[in-house]
Each structure stands twice: as structure tokens, then as C-alpha cells.
Amino acid sequence: MAAHAAAPVRRHARHYEGVTRGWGFPVTLGVVYGLYTSTVARGGGGWSWGQLWLGLISGVVLAGAVYVVHTVGPLLPRELHAAAWGVVAGGAVGFLFSLSGASILSASVLGLIIMAGTTLGTFYMYYTHEDARGRPIRA
């Protein structure tokens, strides 16, 4: 008896393979971050133009940083790619924490902790999902 030929398995694309490399995710994240930034800066008080500008500028900066890491990151070695995500996440969280009235030291420490955790987590993901040359594994 002849055995059936196995049908080729089609794998789903991972997020860093080009599926979400447009402006949709960075802009959405920037809008949410900007709104949250202006809310934290307001601190329960009244609304002002300065808080609006702070939220707008911080949202645009985060959206630009996420877009750059999404597009340029896959060209970097996995270590630098993971570190880039860590810097973006740590900087964003540290900035938000500093707006809440915390000291610069505690905001910096929290940012460094978030940066280290994000760097380790993304490095582990890239290391387990890429071959030795840094290309996504296709089975």
C-alpha cells in the first residue's frame, strides 16, 4: 500500500515578519499613551493646554519610536533588537511614572527594571524563534 503524501503545513506569520509593520499599531499605541500621559499630568485637577500639548508630543514620540523599532529592528542582531524594545518600554514607563510626582531616582529605577525585563523577554522570544543568522524559523 502506498502512503498518503503529507500536505505541507502552512505556519502563521509571527508579528515581526511584516504583518503589523504599518502605521496602525504605532499610531494606536501613541494615541492611547498620549491620552494617558495627559491624564496623569492632570492629576485630578482641571484641564489645560499644556497637558494637551504634553500628551500630543509624548504620543507622537512614542508612535515614532515604535514605528522605527518595528521597521528597523528586524535588520539588527537579535540582541540590539531586544535592547531597542527595552529602551522604548523602559523610557515610556519611566516617563509616565515621573509625571505622577515620583522622584527622578524612583522613576529611573522603575524604567531600568522595565527595560531589563522587556529586553530579556524579547531576547528570549527572538532567540527561540530565529535561526543562527537571525531569520525567522520556517518549518
Side-chain angles (χ1 to χ4, degrees):
M1 278 201 158
H4 292 348
V9 177
R10 181 175 171 154
R11 303 263 182 205
H12 295 285
R14 291 170 184 82
H15 76 280
Y16 56 87
E17 288 185 39
V19 176
T20 59
R21 289 236 175 90
W23 276 101
F25 177 69
V27 167
T28 304
L29 189 64
V31 166
V32 170
Y33 185 80
L35 289 172
Y36 193 68
T37 300
S38 61
T39 302
V40 170
R42 190 168 56 123
W47 180 83
S48 71
W49 285 102
Q51 295 156 359
L52 175 73
W53 282 108
L54 176 69
L56 183 68
I57 292 170
S58 61
V60 167
V61 168
L62 182 70
V66 168
Y67 181 76
V68 166
V69 172
H70 251 293
T71 56
V72 177
L75 303 175
L76 299 172
R78 68 175 69 108
E79 295 85 4
L80 292 178
H81 192 186
W85 280 119
V87 167
V88 169
V93 171
F95 177 67
L96 278 178
F97 191 59
S98 71
L99 288 178
S100 68
S103 71
I104 296 298
L105 180 63
S106 61
S108 299
V109 168
L110 180 65
L112 287 172
I113 290 170
I114 296 295
M115 182 190 76
T118 304
T119 301
L120 290 174
T122 53
F123 175 76
Y124 177 76
M125 184 189 69
Y126 294 143
Y127 187 75
T128 57
H129 290 84
E130 293 178 349
D131 64 5
R133 293 185 181 164
R135 296 175 301 203
I137 296 173
R138 299 188 196 280

